[in-house]
Amino acid sequence: MNEQHWQDKFEIGPACVERFLTTERFSELSKLQVNLSGVSYLRGEYFVSRRTPQEHTLLFSMAGAGSLHTAEFSQRLGPNELVILPAGVNYSLSLASRFWRHNWFQFSPDISWYRFPKKAKVLNISSSQNIDKCMKLLLDEETKAKADPLVESALTQLIKRYLLQLLKPLKNAEPSPLHKLEQQLRSSLHYPWTVAEMAQRLSVSEAHCYRLFQQEFKVSPKQYLTRLRLEHGSYLLRESHWSIEVIASQLGYQDGFAFAHRFKKSFGVSPGRYRRNYN
């Protein structure tokens, strides 16, 4: 299809059912820089075409079959296939069987925790059941008068973890200059990292190190390190019986008070309250 023929078009028949997860209802999704996500159950009439969309899209084909068309290729989509549609790439989606179910996420164009490729891609994945379960549990929360913020937070963090696991092969194929350093940070969160040492590991100046982090993650090196520490801290609070002081030492904080102060500032509750509510 020629570039001038692409247009925004939505032809969705009455037999199609789409359930949406919005950031207005689930504020934790905004931390993943998700603008909108949902689960689509499609039958009958379905055709969606996008011209230079502003958002990045991930689509998990779960059951049945659909068709993807871009300016570069066309492909039938079956179960356990992940479609990566970067911002600015024209595409269309349609049914290729009597039924098609897929889960999807639309991300902000300036997403900081993952670098989307320049071109559309389709990956065969072993399973997307974990993503599917998290989506269904979030939809269950939507039926309640008020969603549990701790359940929402835990499910959102699980979604991010599963997405990174599924996208890892693609990330390895297009490595970021910060990828190796990021792995070192994750494996040594207790270490007293300085910007000077991070810059030394990258063989760049401190100023250039700061610019690299801003370009890749939209935060400073220290802010990104804090993000990694708190993400792992929330995991340890949920999955271990370690004391707050032990967790703090594992994350490089001087004491439990320093960790608790930073944790509450980020999550809105103390580590102890977070653990009690989760359990």
Side-chain angles (χ1 to χ4, degrees):
M1 188 181 293
N2 294 330
E3 287 294 316
Q4 62 267 27
H5 292 155
W6 290 100
Q7 57 183 309
D8 287 321
K9 196 171 185 180
F10 301 87
E11 297 176 351
I12 303 175
C16 297
V17 176
E18 293 193 285
R19 297 187 64 187
F20 300 101
L21 296 172
T22 66
T23 53
E24 288 77 18
R25 185 68 171 86
F26 297 99
S27 59
E28 286 291 316
L29 288 173
S30 62
K31 293 183 179 180
L32 293 188
Q33 294 169 280
V34 171
N35 294 338
L36 185 66
S37 63
V39 179
S40 297
Y41 305 84
L42 309 173
R43 295 182 185 275
E45 180 185 13
Y46 179 78
F47 178 81
V48 170
S49 177
R50 298 299 314 277
R51 176 182 175 85
T52 59
Q54 296 301 303
E55 69 281 348
H56 301 293
T57 298
L58 293 180
L59 184 150
F60 294 86
S61 183
M62 301 298 302
S67 292
L68 168 68
H69 299 277
T70 72
E72 297 185 327
F73 68 91
S74 297
Q75 185 166 333
R76 180 185 173 92
L77 303 172
N80 292 323
E81 289 191 301
L82 168 59
V83 182
I84 302 172
L85 299 166
V89 171
N90 301 326
Y91 69 87
S92 68
L93 295 167
S94 59
L95 280 170
S97 65
R98 295 181 61 186
F99 169 72
W100 187 27
R101 181 168 75 88
H102 62 252
N103 300 335
W104 50 271
F105 299 86
Q106 291 181 349
F107 295 92
S108 168
D110 59 351
I111 182 173
S112 59
W113 56 272
Y114 180 73
R115 184 175 60 178
F116 274 76
K118 299 297 184 182
K119 298 180 180 180
K121 295 181 181 293
V122 178
L123 300 180
N124 291 311
I125 55 180
S126 57
S127 173
S128 53
Q129 293 302 314
N130 288 331
I131 293 286
D132 196 45
K133 290 176 182 177
C134 289
M135 297 286 280
K136 288 178 178 177
L137 288 171
L138 281 175
L139 288 171
D140 288 342
E141 286 294 305
E142 188 183 33
T143 63
K144 300 177 182 178
K146 184 178 181 181
D148 186 326
L150 294 183
V151 172
E152 178 189 344
S153 176
L155 289 172
T156 302
Q157 291 180 46
L158 282 173
I159 286 174
K160 180 179 179 179
R161 184 183 305 173
Y162 294 141
L163 288 176
L164 287 172
Q165 288 174 355
L166 293 170
L167 293 167
K168 188 176 180 180
L170 184 62
K171 188 172 184 179
N172 289 342
E174 300 181 9
S176 159
L178 290 177
H179 178 67
K180 185 175 180 181
L181 175 60
E182 182 185 12
Q183 295 304 110
Q184 292 172 347
L185 294 176
R186 288 182 183 275
S187 63
S188 303
L189 292 174
H190 62 282
Y191 185 78
W193 291 97
T194 63
V195 177
E197 181 151 2
M198 293 184 203
Q200 184 179 12
R201 300 286 181 100
L202 291 170
S203 299
V204 298
S205 67
E206 290 185 41
H208 190 53
C209 176
Y210 182 88
R211 285 193 293 270
L212 288 174
F213 271 84
Q214 285 288 345
Q215 291 169 3
E216 186 78 8
F217 306 118
K218 311 302 181 191
V219 293
S220 70
K222 282 290 190 179
Q223 288 171 328
Y224 189 69
L225 177 61
T226 297
R227 179 191 299 174
L228 294 180
R229 283 172 168 164
L230 293 179
E231 284 181 357
H232 191 56
S234 66
Y235 170 78
L236 292 176
L237 288 168
R238 297 193 308 270
E239 304 297 335
S240 78
H241 297 289
W242 292 352
S243 68
I244 305 300
E245 288 72 21
V246 170
I247 291 176
S249 68
Q250 291 294 309
L251 300 175
Y253 288 95
Q254 291 181 346
D255 51 44
F257 178 79
F259 167 63
H261 175 75
R262 178 62 66 179
F263 188 91
K264 186 173 183 179
K265 188 175 181 180
S266 179
F267 286 83
V269 294
S270 68
R273 175 77 178 276
Y274 179 90
R275 169 176 275 171
R276 289 194 298 272
N277 289 345
Y278 183 80
N279 290 337

